[in-house]
Each structure stands twice: as structure tokens, then as C-alpha cells.
Amino acid sequence: MEVGIFARTFEAPSLAGVLDAVAAHGIRHIQLNTSCMGLSDMPDGLDSAACERARREISARDIEVVSLSATYNMIHPDPAARAQGMRRLEVLASHAAELGTNLLTLCTGTRNPDNMWADHPQNSSPEAWSDLLAAMEQALSLADNHDVRLGIEPEVSNVVSSPAKARQLLDTMRSDRITIVMDGANVFPKGTIHRQREILDEAFDLLGDQIALAHAKDLSRDGEAGHEAAGTGLLDYDYYLQLLHQSGYHGALVLHSLTPEQVPGCVRFLQEKLRNYQSG
């Protein structure tokens, strides 16, 4: 495993400036967001020539795009918003290869109309689950057409609120194009922080063989809390990394939810932890 980062952690007038900041910290793996290219997070259109220019800039710095952010609220209460998100997902899917990746990271969504990362009482309703399955069917059709994979992430505030729900979705859809983004800071419902190892064990028992990408952040409490920089909170990182290693994951550990000023310390923190697993 090696350290990666959300490219949008850094702000710069151009993609070249963002990539220079990434490379200056010795990081060679990024989750790319099209906002780094001067576009919106989910653009209505994307130009192949712009993608090719971006790919040259990325390659020139020996950086790998491990995934492309494609997050929109897949169960937004407004069907028109869901349809718009799906159209934009196809834009990203159709250009992902030009940007150097075949993995798109999704947000399974929430009934909260204002924040796709905030919980809502209706997230656990049969109707929300039905809307998610319908959206995933459409997304899988796009994935087949454009030869990409779709990364879903268990997140306590979303409709896929737990590793068990993620496993249920995998078993229902039965497609090898759906894969898992694992974030150890996102799987602790309220009142469970004292059961970290038990809950992480369950997460990896259910999903460990399906992990395509791992995220690295931290939490200050349980519930809607995974918004701290790696190494600054309560997550048992030694155990999280041990489980990633035992699962056979050897990809990037992608930092996010941190400021540019926190990057050096977080990189050092992860590198020190990862030395235990370099032989693997």
C-alpha cells in the first residue's frame, strides 16, 4: 500500500498547480475530481482534448489516477435531480479512460435534499432502497457501455449505511462492475465507537474481497463523524491497516478530509504505519 490523496485537497489556478502540490509531497496516487480541471464536480460536458491534456500533465509527474470522483445523490427525493446526476455520471464514465482510470466513486445517497452526506429518517425505507436499485441498474448499464467500475462506500449517513447493506447491494446486483471503497471512519453508527474492532472485523468479513480503493481519514466520535484528518482522531489505524493488508489490498490509501497544511503530517503518519506492511 502507498499513500494517495484527493487531488482537490489542493487549490490552484490550474491542474498543473494542483499536481505540482501533490508531487511536492511525494504522493504518486490521486483520486481526481474534475473541479481540479476548472470544471464542476459533475460537469454536463467534458472535452476529450481537455482530458488528453490533463492526462499528459498527470503522466509528466509520474502520478496515477486511481479513481475519478462521480458523486451525486443517487436517491435524491427529486427524480429530476436523480436524472440529472445520472446524465452527468455518463459524461464522466465516457471520459474516464482518457483520464487514466476505470474506477468511478459514487455516493449511494440520502433523502436529505440539501446534503448528500447527511442522514435522513427515510434512508432506511423500502422506497429509498428501491430507488437505489433502480439507479444502480442504470449506472451498471453505463458502466458496461464504457467499461468502467463503480465504487460504492458504506457510509452511516447514506442509504448504504453499513457493510451489511453494501453486501446486500452486491448480492442483489450481481455484477463485477460494482466494487467497494473502504473507509474505516465511516462505518460506526452512534453508540458503537467502543466496538471498533468488532465492527471493522464485520466490515472486512463481508467486503474484504471486493475492495478496489481504500480511503484514509479519521473520526472524532461515532455517527456522522468521519471528517477528521488521518491520525488526528479515534480510529484504530493499526487495526484498520492490518485488516486491509490481510484482505489482500495493495492499492493506494487515499487521504481526504484534511487541509493542505495537514498533508505533511498525515503523509508521515501513514508512511510510518505502512512500514509494517511493506513486505506484503
Side-chain angles (χ1 to χ4, degrees):
M1 289 182 278
E2 295 185 9
V3 178
I5 198 166
F6 273 34
R8 69 177 182 184
T9 302
F10 302 102
E11 293 185 7
S14 66
L15 176 61
V18 171
L19 296 172
D20 285 342
V22 170
H25 292 282
I27 300 172
R28 294 291 179 265
H29 308 275
I30 59 170
Q31 179 164 325
L32 182 63
N33 188 297
T34 48
S35 64
C36 299
M37 300 166 60
L39 304 168
S40 67
D41 290 344
M42 294 286 288
D44 289 309
L46 195 52
D47 180 72
S48 290
C51 291
E52 291 166 6
R53 288 193 298 271
R55 181 72 178 274
R56 288 196 297 270
E57 293 275 15
I58 294 165
S59 297
R61 292 161 179 81
D62 195 27
I63 291 173
E64 176 188 3
V65 178
V66 294
S67 63
L68 181 63
S69 292
T71 52
Y72 74 98
N73 191 343
M74 296 187 81
I75 63 159
H76 193 288
D78 182 356
R82 299 200 299 267
Q84 180 186 61
M86 189 64 66
R87 289 192 297 272
R88 291 171 172 173
L89 176 61
E90 182 164 24
V91 169
L92 294 177
S94 65
H95 291 280
E98 295 169 355
L99 291 168
T101 187
N102 72 349
L103 178 62
L104 304 181
T105 58
L106 305 181
C107 171
T108 58
T110 175
R111 287 302 204 217
N112 188 307
D114 303 315
N115 182 351
M116 65 180 161
W117 308 113
D119 201 2
H120 190 278
Q122 292 300 310
N123 284 358
S124 59
S125 68
E127 293 79 12
W129 188 255
S130 179
D131 283 346
L132 175 64
L133 296 185
M136 289 304 304
E137 288 283 2
Q138 295 180 65
L140 279 173
S141 178
L142 299 182
D144 286 335
N145 290 341
H146 299 291
D147 193 21
V148 297
R149 296 175 297 154
L150 306 172
I152 61 165
E153 182 175 345
E155 157 65 63
V156 294
S157 302
N158 284 165
V159 61
V160 175
S161 57
S162 66
K165 285 285 187 73
R167 185 71 255 177
Q168 182 181 351
L169 183 62
L170 292 173
D171 292 343
T172 300
M173 304 310 297
R174 297 190 177 193
S175 170
D176 59 8
R177 293 201 181 274
I178 303 179
T179 190
I180 296 297
V181 178
M182 182 62 77
D183 190 327
N186 277 352
V187 295
F188 302 105
K190 289 181 180 178
T192 63
I193 193 68
H194 62 290
R195 296 168 48 214
Q196 276 200 49
R197 293 199 171 194
E198 175 189 343
I199 291 171
L200 287 171
D201 281 341
E202 179 186 27
F204 280 85
D205 286 345
L206 290 170
L207 304 172
D209 61 344
Q210 300 292 324
I211 299 172
L213 188 66
H215 282 171
K217 62 178 189 296
D218 221 315
L219 70 166
S220 57
R221 63 190 187 283
D222 50 18
E224 288 184 316
H227 308 295
E228 308 296 327
T232 68
L234 302 176
L235 182 63
D236 186 341
Y237 254 93
D238 289 315
Y239 200 62
Y240 176 45
L241 296 182
Q242 177 185 324
L243 291 173
L244 278 171
H245 177 71
Q246 291 174 349
S247 75
Y249 181 75
H250 301 300
L253 194 58
V254 179
L255 289 162
H256 72 111
S257 296
L258 72 168
T259 66
E261 292 75 23
Q262 290 174 308
V263 172
C266 290
V267 170
R268 285 194 302 271
F269 170 78
L270 285 184
Q271 287 176 338
E272 289 171 4
K273 296 291 185 185
L274 289 173
R275 287 194 186 101
N276 295 326
Y277 308 105
Q278 284 180 348
S279 61

